Amino acid sequence: ETGVTQTPRHLVMGMTNKKSLKCEQHLGHNAMYWYKQSAKKPLELMFVYNFKEQTENNSVPSRFSPECPNSSHLFLHLHTLQPEDSALYLCASSQDIGQMNTEAFFGQGTRLTVV
Amino acid sequence: QKEVEQNSGPLSVPEGAIASLNCTYSDRGSQSFFWYRQYSGKSPELIMFIYSNGDKEDGRFTAQLNKASQYVSLLIRDSQPSDSATYLCAAASMYSSASKIIFGSGTRLSIRP
């Protein structure tokens, strides 16, 4: 248990569906991240939020829409996904990007399958 | 050019030996570096972080950082079968408008009994 909780743990959705991934951190951190991990590929940074403001959008397609209502919650809204979007989606948080030892703590991930 | 590069492996090391994992990074603005361990089907967990040149030791693990060469390494002494996992190197940039933690592709380590 790292203090970062993701729901759901598994999700199967059709290409025309709309779903949302949720992440909640209980660590008092100010930065939150979405990463995508596909099979046999490195972790890909998708979005970064620092103090609720988006500071990084790593050229992610618009079918992925993040939302950060406060420093403890992060959502990833999904719509009209493609089968190649099937992957493990990991949420992480860190204390403050401006500090030196700003290690990221990961949630357990959501295993997404697009059919 | 990949921002954080690692040899994908697999790296096979006999039990009890020293495992050496290497990582290079391209962004000279990176100031903090992390080693994560990821077991199959699990999320990454932090092993060590380092931000000063030199060595940092924690139990069987030693992280080494050389900013001039843009090189980070992780040594695992007295390797155990439970150390078999993928090891991810990460670099954090501190720019306020583009702050991010970037991961390498990971090195798969296998400890053989």
Side-chain angles (χ1 to χ4, degrees), chain A residues 35 37 55 97 99-100 104 107, chain B residues 32 36 38 43 94 97 99 101:
Chain A
Y35 285 90
Q37 190 172 40
T55 59
I97 291 173
Q99 297 185 11
M100 294 295 274
Chain B
S32 297
Y36 285 80
Q38 186 175 25
S43 57
M94 301 301 173
S97 62
S99 305
I101 300 176

Side-chain angles (χ1 to χ4, degrees), chain A residues 6 28 37 41 43 53 60 64 72 81-82 92 98 113-115:
Chain A
Q6 288 186 244
Q37 190 172 40
K41 286 187 176 181
L43 275 169
E53 298 299 320
V60 181
F64 295 92
S72 299
L81 294 193
Q82 303 299 312
T113 303
V114 181
V115 297

Side-chain angles (χ1 to χ4, degrees), chain A residues 87-98:
Chain A
L88 179 67
Y89 288 84
L90 289 161
C91 172
S93 71
S94 65
Q95 174 62 37
D96 188 324
I97 291 173

